[in-house]
């Protein structure tokens, strides 16, 4: 089982589901990122958070929540949940399409990722290993 960072607790935020959500999610990373353990993973994390939050705002339902777990020397897990229990699809987007490539990007950038559904919502999580 992954070690959870001893210097940082699980950090969570609820984001207003509007056009500024991805920007606020990146600011949340600025404030809560664990530089001690996960400094190298930051560029991927910024992209993944932006995609997952944008997907949740565009295709999910409020409330949109972002959680960040540092797993110490192993890496970090990012989770974005929303109030729509439907499983997101990995759409095949044409090159240049503005939307629909989010989960393909998450698939490429993540070491592991998945979707957990529950009554009244779902969580898409992405794990990045050091
Ligand atoms: Zn840490």
């Amino acid at each position: 089982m992954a070690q959870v960072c001893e210097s940082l607790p699980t950090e969570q935020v609820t984001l207003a589901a509007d056009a500024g959500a991805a920007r606020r999610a990146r600011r949340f990373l600025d404030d809560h990122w664990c530089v001690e353990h996960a400094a190298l993973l930051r560029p991927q994390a910024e992209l993944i958070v932006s995609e997952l939050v944008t997907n949740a705002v565009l295709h999910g339902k409020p409330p949109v929540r972002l959680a960040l777990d540092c797993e110490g020397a192993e890496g970090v897990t990012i989770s974005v949940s929303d109030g729509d229990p439907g499983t997101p699809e990995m759409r095949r987007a044409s090159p240049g399409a503005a939307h629909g490539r989010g989960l393909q990007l998450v698939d490429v950038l993540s070491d592991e990722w998945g979707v957990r559904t529950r009554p009244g919502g779902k969580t898409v999580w992405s794990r990045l290993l050091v």
Side-chain angles (χ1 to χ4, degrees), residues 50-114:
S50 298
E51 292 299 335
L52 292 182
V53 168
T54 299
N55 272 359
V57 169
L58 292 179
H59 306 296
K61 290 178 188 160
V64 175
R65 290 201 183 94
L66 167 62
L68 179 62
D69 283 290
C70 180
E71 298 178 7
E74 291 197 36
V76 67
T77 296
I78 293 158
S79 306
V80 174
S81 58
D82 73 79
D84 181 351
T87 304
E89 289 176 35
M90 280 246 277
R91 284 178 297 276
R92 293 234 171 263
S94 55
H99 300 296
R101 288 185 295 173
L103 283 179
Q104 291 176 40
L105 185 71
V106 171
D107 186 49
V108 168
L109 292 175
S110 305
D111 289 288
E112 301 170 50
W113 72 280

Side-chain angles (χ1 to χ4, degrees), residues 5-8 34-38 70-72:
C5 184
E6 291 173 5
S7 60
L8 284 178
C34 182
V35 292
E36 183 180 348
H37 296 119
C70 180
E71 298 178 7

